[in-house]
Amino acid sequence: QVQLVESGGGFVQAGGSLRLSCAASGRTFSSYRMGWFRQAPGKERVFVAGISSSGGNTYYADSVKGRFTISRDNAKNTVYLQMSTLKPEDTAVYYCAVARYPGMATLQAIRDMQSYDYWGQGTQVTVSS
């Protein structure tokens, strides 16, 4: 049984920082790429960041590039999302997800929700102006 548990969300003022964590279990974590997505009220869930199984390659949505950093610790089965210079438009529920298949993927797949098969419960991030 695969489980993903996010933590670290909260309320922060614009310009502030938060670090989200996602603890994974039930799969050989180090073999699978991971992703972070977010869903704002009334909007679709969208890609935020992705990371390869080894952590050597990272990918970001243009809206967060330069402000967010994704990383992972395979020894702890945990993936992180460090968020800095937060803006009100970053307000959303943030979800981590694990890839459906091990190994590498195209950039299109990395950004595609359908290429992930297990999701966490989400953690709320609220950024005030």
Side-chain angles (χ1 to χ4, degrees):
Q1 181 75 11
V2 176
Q3 285 192 318
L4 302 174
V5 180
E6 299 105 334
S7 61
F11 184 92
V12 64
Q13 290 189 332
S17 299
L18 283 174
R19 188 176 83 153
L20 306 183
S21 299
C22 173
S25 62
R27 184 170 279 182
T28 307
F29 180 73
S30 60
S31 297
Y32 291 80
R33 60 184 170 82
M34 301 288 292
W36 284 97
F37 290 73
R38 68 186 181 188
Q39 187 166 16
K43 297 188 176 181
E44 294 183 348
R45 193 173 301 188
V46 297
F47 172 79
V48 174
I51 189 165
S52 62
S53 56
S54 67
N57 293 291
T58 56
Y59 313 87
Y60 298 94
D62 288 344
S63 59
V64 306
K65 201 171 294 183
R67 300 187 299 121
F68 290 13
T69 302
I70 188 171
S71 62
R72 66 190 295 162
D73 184 339
N74 284 344
K76 296 181 178 180
N77 287 357
T78 302
V79 62
Y80 305 97
L81 186 67
Q82 177 68 47
M83 306 184 294
S84 303
T85 320
L86 283 160
K87 304 175 181 180
E89 50 264 43
D90 294 318
T91 295
V93 178
Y94 284 72
Y95 299 89
C96 70
V98 61
R100 190 178 302 275
Y101 303 110
M104 301 176 65
T106 64
L107 182 57
Q108 181 178 1
I110 289 166
R111 295 172 178 268
D112 185 356
M113 285 179 52
Q114 298 304 314
S115 76
Y116 299 85
D117 61 347
Y118 285 95
W119 296 78
Q121 81 287 354
T123 186
Q124 176 71 47
V125 172
T126 304
V127 184
S128 67
S129 57

